[in-house]
Amino acid sequence: MSFDTILGILLTFFSLAFLIFLLFRSNHIIKIIHRNNLNSAREIKSKLHGK
Amino acid sequence: MGNNRHQIESELSRDLSLFHITMMGLGMMIGAGVFLGIGTSIAHAGPGGVILTFALNGVIAICTAMSYAELSSAIPHAGGAYNFARLAFGRGPSFTAGWMEWFASSVAGSLYAVTFAIYTVRYFQGLKLLNWVPFSTYTTEKIVAFLVASLFLYINYRGASETGKIGAFFTLGQTLFLIIIGLVGVVIAFIDPSRLQNFSPFLPNGWEKLLVTMGFTYVAFEGYEVIAQAGDETIDPKRNLPKAMIYSVVIVTITYVAVAFASIVAIKAGSPGIEGPVWEWIGQFKERGFGEAISRLMPAGNFFLTLAVIFASISALNATIFSATRASYALGRDRLLPKIFSKISQKHKTPYGALLLTGIIIISVAVLLPTMDVASSASIMFLFLFFLVNISVIRIRINMGDELSYGFIMPFFPWLPMLAIVCQGVLAVWLVKMSLIAWIIAPLWIISSILIFIFYSKKRALATEDEVRVIEEESAPESDEYRIMVAVANPNNAISIIRSTYYISEAKKAQVNLLHMVPVPYQVPLKDAKKFMLEGKEAIVEAMLHLIIKFPITTTIRYCRNIGRGILSAVKEKKIKMLIMGWRGKSQRHIFSLGSTVDYIMERAHCNVVLLKECGDKKFKNILVPIDGSPNSCFSLEIASIMVDKNGGQITAFIINDDKEKISIKKPYSPLKIGARIDYEHIKIKRIMASSIPDAILDESERHDLVILGYTQDPLIRQLTRDSISYNVAIRCRKSLIIVKAASGIKSWIRRWL
């Protein structure tokens, strides 16, 4: 298997994995925002980072 | 507005669910692009390249989708990019954004109408069902394009719900078809693994061809704009809009990759009629390559493929009509285009004026013009739009992140929009190779928007401008004196601030401007906000009684939506050199460092800023000034020189962790430029080494009666994750405190611009 093939397959899987990760992460953020009735970006970041 | 107060107001009906708007996004994405793009991508980039093309495009698309999702959740109104640009950059750029959006979506709609017509006519001609038609194929296609565009214009006129539901039906059909193709491909590869040999060589033409195919197929990822346009008609938009955008990009990317995979494994190498590598055989058919491959993958493949293309074209047509209509409606609603654009049907609650004019563009282009070059222009303008949206999301988060009510904020901010900006810039440049005419049409359309804005829209835009309004102003004679502005918040703290200001104003021989900002909620028009004014007048009168005898004073009371922005606007207009404000000692809410208004002003003011906490009207005997050699340190020493008691008072210049003694108090630079005076006679230097700078300052402050801190500003990215030294000290300090920030010239300008 050539280097291009290995790199290409890895890139494809990483791209799809990144999409799926962002999907779940975004769903989590939306859930946190609406459950805690958060508004401003700073409030949301504070909650997400556990401050 | 006032003239129409007694008329019946019409509003868009809110009845699109998460499913509907996700399907609308998918419908706009799975248009003709993917069906035509797979064969061409295989021809250029090879079997592995086509899969990488869609996977990497998905990553770029989700970055922009994140920007759209964040902004749509905070500004969930019809208008999409137009609304975002308006908030970020003002009316001029936003008008251009809306104008581009309207044109791009309309012309994309023309392309889908023609695509539908071409495939439908060819299919029925193949069945010999059109032999009775007396026109040529070309004319027949144009007639069908006209009819299908008219039909969907009417469906859009019937209402948002019908629009969404009919579009959802077609989109579901085409998406299911593509998913079935992908699944069949995976099953076949599992049963006959030898077909995986079709992927060798993976990238026969090298990596550079990948960029070409990515640019060509990126049109298949432009769907979140239509979701943003549905903001006014979506149920629970703050939650559903971002979800729909992200879902649609993830679904199409996985579907495209699966379909591309199926196309490659559909054909067994060496089977009858297949000569040479499989990817070359598919590639020779170019845009028809996908159809040729799929017809060998499953029985009746041609029939299902034609059906899918028809579904795809009409759902994309439906979505683009919706998007273009809402874009132009938003321009009309805000009076940037004539009133006809904002007319709403009483019966169906749809913007029929905008729909009619959008329909004229779609049908004219579909029937009269060669669509490929104009469609390329639409693609370029979509890319310009996305570029603008990605910049807007960064600017809005930084400038208004604490004011807006977000339903979603993106992770990895600001890296995702920055990545999208770079990648889409490259793709836009590549489109030059595809169509030179597109690069002529696109600038012409943008120039026309600028001319229309200057000669038509600007006057109306000024008429509706309501960010800040001066309601009462008394001016002192103009002079070249040093100008100090004192922001007076309320009668309770007015006297205290003025007393503290006294020494500074006297030392600078300054002209003083007293400012009171009256915040008015967004729900109340600024012109109806006089009931909020009484408190401000009291504060100004109190302050004037203490200062007017000694200084030339001007006073201003302003209505504003946001106090921070209002104050900075006044500072700029009046060419203020120093802004003095009071600080109560802690933030009202823990999420702000020093307070929402103070944070905002400290980070963006381009004049010197002095923040006072419990300073009273006395001179101080022992003043602590932590310094680090920055302009803020120099400014701190000057303020200390003003505030120190000349009879036995002392200033301690406190230097921490400077073992090589690089920091000096006698730097020639002065941030105040005019009349800066540091009283070196009363300064002594104290150097220490400490593991925690805030703790060292706080320990030392116990032996002093006033602390003067320079406002420390970390790089932007670090600010998002940790607190500054000045914040740590200011919150815990129990002594009188002054926080200062010197104007920092170009750095401050860049910061405000960003």
Side-chain angles (χ1 to χ4, degrees), chain B residues 485-489 513-517 540 556-558 566-567 570:
Chain B
M485 176 172 279
V486 183
V488 178
N513 181 279
L514 298 180
L515 173 74
H516 180 75
M517 299 302 304
I540 287 284
T556 306
I557 301 179
R558 290 180 164 211
I567 291 175

Side-chain angles (χ1 to χ4, degrees), chain B residues 32-110:
Chain B
V34 63
F35 296 105
L36 305 178
I38 285 181
T40 311
S41 296
I42 292 171
H44 283 86
V50 68
I51 290 177
L52 270 174
T53 292
F54 288 108
L56 294 177
N57 265 346
V59 171
I60 300 174
I62 198 132
C63 292
T64 302
M66 287 280 162
S67 298
Y68 264 95
E70 176 170 322
L71 291 173
S72 298
S73 76
I75 314 157
H77 304 297
Y82 159 71
N83 274 336
F84 310 151
R86 180 179 170 187
L87 207 60
F89 299 105
R91 285 189 184 272
S94 79
F95 177 76
T96 302
W99 187 249
M100 288 194 299
E101 198 175 326
W102 182 36
F103 180 77
S105 298
S106 300
V107 176
S110 307

Side-chain angles (χ1 to χ4, degrees), chain A residues 4-5 7-9 11-12 15-16 18-23 25-27 29-30 33-34 38-46 48 51, chain B residues 51-52 55-56 58-59 62 66 202 207 239 243 246-247 253-254 397 401-402 404-409 411-412 589 591-592 599 720-721:
Chain A
D4 281 351
T5 308
L7 188 59
I9 291 170
L11 262 179
T12 303
S15 298
L16 295 179
F18 185 59
L19 288 183
I20 302 286
F21 166 75
L22 283 180
L23 174 73
R25 181 70 186 154
S26 302
N27 264 337
I29 291 171
I30 291 169
I33 291 171
H34 289 89
L38 303 174
N39 287 306
S40 74
R42 207 183 296 235
E43 276 179 332
I44 297 165
K45 275 187 295 178
S46 299
L48 288 173
K51 283 185 184 175
Chain B
I51 290 177
L52 270 174
L56 294 177
V59 171
I62 198 132
M66 287 280 162
F202 198 75
W207 289 87
R239 187 197 301 258
K243 277 188 174 180
I246 296 161
Y247 289 173
T253 305
I254 293 172
R397 172 86 82 90
D402 295 327
L404 294 173
S405 174
Y406 286 90
F408 168 73
I409 62 168
F412 306 118
R589 298 154 78 184
I591 54 171
F592 298 108
D599 281 356
L720 300 172
T721 56

Side-chain angles (χ1 to χ4, degrees), chain B residues 57 59-68 218 224 383 386-391 393-394 410 414-428:
Chain B
N57 265 346
V59 171
I60 300 174
I62 198 132
C63 292
T64 302
M66 287 280 162
S67 298
Y68 264 95
Y218 193 71
Y224 21 79
L383 288 168
F386 296 159
F387 185 85
L388 198 60
V389 169
N390 283 310
I391 295 178
V393 77
I394 297 173
M410 76 174 79
W415 302 115
L416 295 184
M418 285 166 74
L419 177 67
I421 287 168
V422 172
C423 294
Q424 286 167 349
V426 173
L427 296 184

Side-chain angles (χ1 to χ4, degrees), chain B residues 446-466:
Chain B
I446 292 170
I447 289 167
S448 73
S449 81
I450 295 168
L451 294 177
I452 290 171
F453 181 77
I454 291 171
F455 294 110
Y456 179 84
S457 313
K458 198 174 180 182
K459 296 173 202 163
R460 288 152 182 81
L462 284 174
T464 58
E465 187 64 63
D466 61 357

Side-chain angles (χ1 to χ4, degrees), chain B residues 498-557:
Chain B
I498 293 303
R499 282 176 176 165
S500 306
T501 302
Y502 175 79
Y503 295 113
I504 299 173
S505 306
E506 188 182 52
K508 305 303 295 182
K509 295 187 170 42
Q511 177 183 315
V512 176
N513 181 279
L514 298 180
L515 173 74
H516 180 75
M517 299 302 304
V518 184
V520 179
Y522 277 95
Q523 294 83 354
V524 180
L526 286 179
K527 59 185 169 46
D528 298 336
K530 287 198 172 172
K531 62 185 175 186
F532 294 87
M533 184 179 156
L534 181 62
E535 192 180 77
K537 285 195 83 164
E538 287 175 12
I540 287 284
V541 169
E542 289 278 356
M544 282 186 73
L545 287 174
H546 282 80
L547 273 184
I548 199 161
I549 305 165
K550 296 165 183 156
F551 304 103
I553 291 179
T554 60
T555 60
T556 306
I557 301 179

